[in-house]
Amino acid sequence: MSSATKKPTEAELSLLTILWETGPATVRQVHQTYNENLPGEQHIGYTTVLKILQIMHEKKLVQRDERQRAHIYAPSESAVQTQSSLIRDLVQKAFNGSLSQLVMRAIGNSTNAQEISDIRSMLDELEQQQETVQ
């Protein structure tokens, strides 16, 4: 991650997802959205959300606007930037740097015909883009 000093934990990713979907928000807004979107899961308290966001701010995963009484938190990077960084890290750690091994493992035996067709279309599109650039 370019500006972030550390990778987000699972809990931090949950809060980042909320911020990516809703945009900048107060702790109260993040807390409310988190608990509304997890009907079957255990809800977390306001102070837990606050503490996680404070830690995320220290890790530079979020930015904090302190101009108002209720601080506003926003992600430091886009979802795509964070996902790309996490994928690069996973490829290095689990697949010895081989992106094709990651893709083959991800596709595996559980991919249905529609997903294979979608993947084939995406690969064709990428190939056309590369031909256009060259």
Side-chain angles (χ1 to χ4, degrees):
M1 311 190 124
S2 56
S3 66
T5 58
K6 296 186 177 183
K7 302 282 185 259
T9 65
E10 188 175 335
E12 292 167 347
L13 271 174
S14 294
L15 299 188
L16 279 171
T17 299
I18 291 169
L19 292 171
W20 289 322
E21 291 173 358
T22 65
T26 64
V27 176
R28 186 165 311 286
Q29 292 167 326
V30 173
H31 172 253
Q32 182 178 357
T33 302
Y34 183 93
N35 286 325
E36 286 175 353
N37 292 329
L38 297 171
E41 298 186 36
Q42 184 176 4
H43 290 194
I44 61 172
Y46 175 89
T47 55
T48 302
V49 172
L50 173 61
K51 185 63 178 169
I52 293 170
L53 285 169
Q54 289 171 337
I55 292 168
M56 291 170 68
H57 182 255
E58 290 172 15
K59 291 170 71 173
K60 297 182 175 30
L61 294 171
V62 295
Q63 299 170 352
R64 180 171 60 203
D65 182 348
E66 301 175 359
R67 291 179 289 181
Q68 301 174 27
R69 188 171 189 269
H71 297 169
I72 306 291
Y73 289 86
S76 295
E77 293 185 337
S78 70
V80 170
Q81 289 171 310
T82 300
Q83 291 164 350
S84 295
S85 178
L86 291 171
I87 289 171
R88 279 191 305 274
D89 191 52
L90 177 63
V91 168
Q92 286 304 315
K93 289 179 179 176
F95 298 95
N96 202 26
S98 173
L99 185 58
S100 60
Q101 285 182 17
L102 168 74
V103 171
M104 295 305 292
R105 179 72 63 221
I107 293 173
N109 295 332
S110 62
T111 308
N112 65 39
Q114 181 59 50
E115 290 172 324
I116 291 171
S117 176
D118 292 345
I119 292 167
R120 191 170 280 122
S121 295
M122 288 173 26
L123 290 172
D124 290 344
E125 201 174 299
L126 282 171
E127 194 172 53
Q128 288 175 351
Q129 288 174 2
Q130 287 183 348
E131 288 172 359
T132 305
V133 171
Q134 296 173 2

